[in-house]
Amino acid sequence: MKAVFIFLAFSVVAGIAAAGVAITQELRQSSVTEQPITETTILPTVTPTASPTPTPTPTFTPLTLINHSVPFVSQAPEQQWSNPVFQDACEEASILMAAHWLQGGTPITPPAATQSILDIVEFEKELIGEWRDTSAQDSARLMREYYKTENVEVVENITVAGIKEEIYGGNIVIMPTNGRLLGNPNFNAPGPEYHMIVIKGYDPATREFITNDPGTRLGADYRYTEDTIFNAIRNYNTGYHLGATPVPKTVIVVSR
């Protein structure tokens, strides 16, 4: 009987111990906080791209002499300088030269040039209402209307390099000027204040523009320096000696 009691007591103690161990393990498990799994995103390595270096605008550098075959016409083709019409016919003569260049560059006889200038003046009176001084814009309009051509463009803010590019690009340039700034010794002093010429070539060796200047009978292939040409550009107002503006530098470009 005593042995049974001892066995039962031992069993009870063992059961209590086992229960304690189980409770302890459960408490330990419940006290452990589950840590969330953090997902790490690996970004690709970006190599910085350098900004492209802007390409410089090339400077136009002519290498050879060029001289377009533009027939020459004096604004007084038969030396009728005392006639008021021909005293102020530089615009009409310049347009006449440019038009003949467009048509192939055929020469113009003095009598034919005289009649052409008179015809242009009469047309001009109807179109513009004036013939003595005509601005670059009105002169371009006159050439378009009289010769039925669209190969005429007014260009503002022209530069020396710009004029060269037009010449070497196969074009010619009609330029309104203050003729007194040209310094041509063949003019009657002090020279025409409102004057138009044709630029038709360039010589890089001497840095001179080659022109047809209708203000003198010696104006064929007449040369002016780059600085003289640029400084003389003046777009004068249509009318009769109504003033001119040095800027913007404005010319008429005629192209084939």
Side-chain angles (χ1 to χ4, degrees):
M1 184 69 177
K2 184 177 179 179
V4 171
F5 177 79
I6 292 171
F7 175 77
L8 290 174
F10 179 80
S11 298
V12 170
V13 171
I16 293 172
V21 170
I23 292 170
T24 301
Q25 290 178 345
E26 184 176 352
L27 288 173
R28 285 178 179 176
Q29 291 176 355
S30 63
S31 65
V32 176
T33 302
E34 184 175 351
Q35 298 297 322
I37 299 174
T38 303
E39 183 177 355
T40 303
T41 301
I42 301 176
L43 297 177
T45 302
V46 178
T47 302
T49 303
S51 301
T53 302
T55 303
T57 303
T59 301
F60 182 78
T61 306
L63 300 176
T64 58
L65 184 147
I66 187 171
N67 190 10
H68 297 302
S69 298
V70 180
F72 174 71
V73 170
S74 165
Q75 67 188 68
E78 298 175 282
Q79 304 304 305
Q80 57 273 62
W81 292 102
S82 60
N83 186 322
V85 170
F86 296 101
Q87 289 176 4
D88 290 300
C90 58
E91 296 92 350
E92 293 78 9
S94 295
I95 289 171
L96 178 59
M97 287 188 277
H100 272 255
W101 174 74
L102 280 178
Q103 296 165 1
T106 55
I108 315 167
T109 64
T114 292
Q115 189 57 54
S116 293
I117 289 174
L118 292 173
D119 292 342
I120 295 172
V121 166
E122 289 305 312
F123 183 86
E124 193 174 6
K125 290 176 181 178
E126 294 295 324
L127 180 68
I128 301 172
E130 182 57 71
W131 56 271
R132 291 167 293 186
D133 300 329
T134 50
S135 66
Q137 289 78 4
D138 281 335
S139 295
R141 179 188 174 200
L142 173 62
M143 185 170 179
R144 290 191 198 100
E145 295 290 332
Y146 188 80
Y147 287 102
K148 307 301 181 185
T149 179
E150 292 300 321
N151 296 8
V152 183
E153 179 185 5
V154 175
V155 177
E156 295 184 344
N157 298 308
I158 196 72
T159 61
V160 167
I163 298 174
K164 294 177 191 176
E165 289 184 23
E166 295 296 346
I167 298 300
Y168 281 86
N171 305 326
I172 62 175
V173 175
I174 301 175
M175 188 179 85
T177 74
N178 179 337
R180 295 177 181 178
L181 298 178
L182 292 173
N184 192 318
N186 299 305
F187 292 158
N188 288 331
E193 187 175 2
Y194 304 90
H195 188 51
M196 194 166 280
I197 65 176
V198 177
I199 303 176
K200 65 193 193 79
Y202 181 76
D203 186 346
T206 60
R207 299 181 65 183
E208 292 174 322
F209 285 106
I210 304 170
T211 75
N212 275 358
D213 189 330
T216 166
R217 62 185 178 84
L218 302 175
D221 293 318
Y222 199 88
R223 293 173 174 236
Y224 294 108
T225 67
E226 291 179 0
D227 290 342
T228 296
I229 284 291
F230 189 71
N231 291 335
I233 299 174
R234 295 288 189 280
N235 188 18
Y236 43 82
N237 297 307
T238 296
Y240 185 62
H241 297 184
L242 296 182
T245 55
V247 289
K249 300 286 189 181
T250 304
V251 299
I252 304 167
V253 174
V254 181
S255 58
R256 277 179 169 167

